[in-house]
Structure formats: structure tokens, C-alpha cells
Amino acid sequence: MILTAFPIGYLIKQRLAAFVIYIGVHSFVFTFQTASLLIEWAGGDDAAFGSYPNASTANVWGYALVNLAIYLVGLALVFLGNRVATGRANRSAAVNLDPVS
């Protein structure tokens, strides 16, 4: 998710549209990741949340906080990508290409 955030912000001109696209992509990836972990957990893998059915509250909150951090860093990178693209467009528009003036 972190790798897709900056290009989305850079390539999509409208900042709100870039944020919505990132949120949509992140929600799909987050849902898929959560489903995969829960299926493995129900199958007996205790690496993510502890032993089934007694999940470790610390592991669950840790999972939530890590995903929140990824989400926030991704939104910041979308914003940064949009700012870089806007700055480059403004610099290009400010260049006077008329040799007469």
C-alpha cells in the first residue's frame, strides 16, 4: 500500500479523487489481508492473534495500530505526490517560452 500511494497522488490531478482512489485500494487490500489472517487463525495458525479461540488483545490492537499507521502514511504520501505534481505543473506553466519578450 505504501508503494502505490505516491504514484496515485502524483498521477491523479484532483487531490480528492486521489484520496478516494487510495482509500478504495486500501480498503480492498485491508479486507483481503484480514480475511486471510482470520482463515489461517481459525485453521490453527496462532502467529497473528494467538491461539484460537482465545485471541491476544495486544496482538489484535497491534494489528489495528500497524494498519492505521500504514493507512495514515499512505494518505500522507498521496498528499505529497499530489503536491509534487502540482508544483511541477506550476513551474512548467511559469516558464516563458516566448523568445521575443
Side-chain angles (χ1 to χ4, degrees), residues 19-60:
F19 282 133
V20 170
I21 290 169
Y22 178 77
I23 291 168
V25 171
H26 185 272
S27 63
F28 172 77
V29 171
F30 178 73
T31 303
F32 182 78
Q33 173 188 351
T34 303
S36 295
L37 287 174
L38 287 174
I39 289 169
E40 290 176 16
W41 185 55
D45 185 2
D46 62 354
F49 303 118
S51 61
Y52 183 81
N54 302 319
S56 166
T57 304
N59 287 349
V60 174

Side-chain angles (χ1 to χ4, degrees), residues 64-78:
L65 292 175
V66 166
N67 276 288
L68 178 63
I70 291 169
Y71 188 65
L72 293 176
V73 168
L75 288 173
L77 287 172
V78 169

Side-chain angles (χ1 to χ4, degrees), residues 5 11 16 18 30 34 43 52 61-63 75 82-83 85-86 91 94 100-101:
L11 297 173
L16 181 61
F30 178 73
T34 303
Y52 183 81
W61 279 106
Y63 176 73
L75 288 173
N82 189 264
R83 289 289 299 246
T86 302
R91 278 194 306 274
V100 176
S101 55

